[in-house]
Amino acid sequence: MSYRVTALSTEDVRQYRTGGGDYYGQPGEIMHSDGVFPCRYCLTDMPKGAAALLVAHRPFPIAAPYSEVGPVFICGEHCEPYGRVSELPEVVLSRRVVIRAYSRDHKMRYGHHEMVDGQQVDAAIRRLLADPDSDYLHIRSSLTGCYHCRIDREGPADGC
């Protein structure tokens, strides 16, 4: 089975960078990276001292009880969006993360999430997406719960 790694949308990032307001309608807060601020658009760690924009983001298409809003960083300057098939970004591979499964109606699937080290993420993704009731996954920080990216099934199951 293949899967797509999806970062924040270009529309959301453009809105945040042009002062259009975050989820709460507030302008982003400029911070300076300590070297481990992961941009949720290019999915790379910003270099130490780089300008980072901190915003409140809801990575769900609808407002519902499981539709968490939380802080995310994006590069203060232009960067290219991440969107690869079955290739995980370094910001995931270098961290301990929580992977949560969600249903088609955007409800968290209890008992269908895992906390793993970065090198185990691919196998965990494949296990969780092998269940047809898991429509998509979120990868989040294991320490803070902050959203990193979304994972969607791309192709047919290959026996995983």
Side-chain angles (χ1 to χ4, degrees), residues 1-2 4 9 12-13 24 26 31 35 38 47 50 57 65 73 81 85 99 101 103 106 127 136 140 142 148 156:
M1 156 192 352
S2 58
R4 177 162 300 280
S9 74
D12 285 341
V13 171
Y24 296 113
Q26 300 297 313
M31 300 184 69
H57 179 74
F73 291 109
V85 175
I99 307 170
S103 63
H106 312 289
R127 278 191 301 275
Y136 64 93
R140 293 175 172 267
S142 66
H148 282 297

Side-chain angles (χ1 to χ4, degrees), residues 11-98:
E11 296 78 23
D12 285 341
V13 171
R14 185 177 299 121
Q15 175 180 320
Y16 299 151
R17 284 184 178 151
T18 59
D22 64 9
Y23 178 80
Y24 296 113
Q26 300 297 313
E29 181 180 334
I30 300 293
M31 300 184 69
H32 289 78
S33 175
D34 61 4
V36 291
F37 283 13
C39 175
R40 286 5 183 263
Y41 189 54
C42 64
L43 297 180
T44 61
D45 281 318
M46 291 175 248
K48 188 173 181 137
L53 188 62
L54 177 64
V55 297
H57 179 74
R58 184 187 80 197
F60 293 90
I62 63 168
Y66 291 105
S67 301
E68 297 171 83
V69 175
V72 297
F73 291 109
I74 57 173
C75 292
E77 302 285 324
H78 174 80
C79 62
E80 294 296 320
Y82 191 95
R84 299 194 181 119
V85 175
S86 301
E87 185 180 330
L88 294 164
E90 187 61 30
V91 296
V92 170
L93 294 173
S94 64
R95 290 170 165 80
R96 185 160 180 79
V97 297
V98 172

Side-chain angles (χ1 to χ4, degrees), residues 65-154:
Y66 291 105
S67 301
E68 297 171 83
V69 175
V72 297
F73 291 109
I74 57 173
C75 292
E77 302 285 324
H78 174 80
C79 62
E80 294 296 320
Y82 191 95
R84 299 194 181 119
V85 175
S86 301
E87 185 180 330
L88 294 164
E90 187 61 30
V91 296
V92 170
L93 294 173
S94 64
R95 290 170 165 80
R96 185 160 180 79
V97 297
V98 172
I99 307 170
R100 295 183 189 163
Y102 294 88
S103 63
R104 283 173 193 76
D105 57 355
H106 312 289
K107 291 189 171 116
M108 188 187 311
R109 299 200 59 234
Y110 283 94
H112 293 84
H113 39 268
E114 296 189 29
M115 183 181 301
V116 296
D117 290 322
Q119 298 303 314
Q120 300 166 331
V121 172
D122 180 74
I125 287 170
R126 292 175 187 282
R127 278 191 301 275
L128 291 166
L129 287 180
D131 183 334
D133 292 330
S134 292
D135 192 55
Y136 64 93
L137 311 173
H138 279 183
I139 296 181
R140 293 175 172 267
S141 166
S142 66
L143 294 174
T144 61
C146 296
Y147 174 81
H148 282 297
C149 58
R150 178 175 162 146
I151 306 293
D152 289 280
R153 197 179 288 106
E154 275 286 304

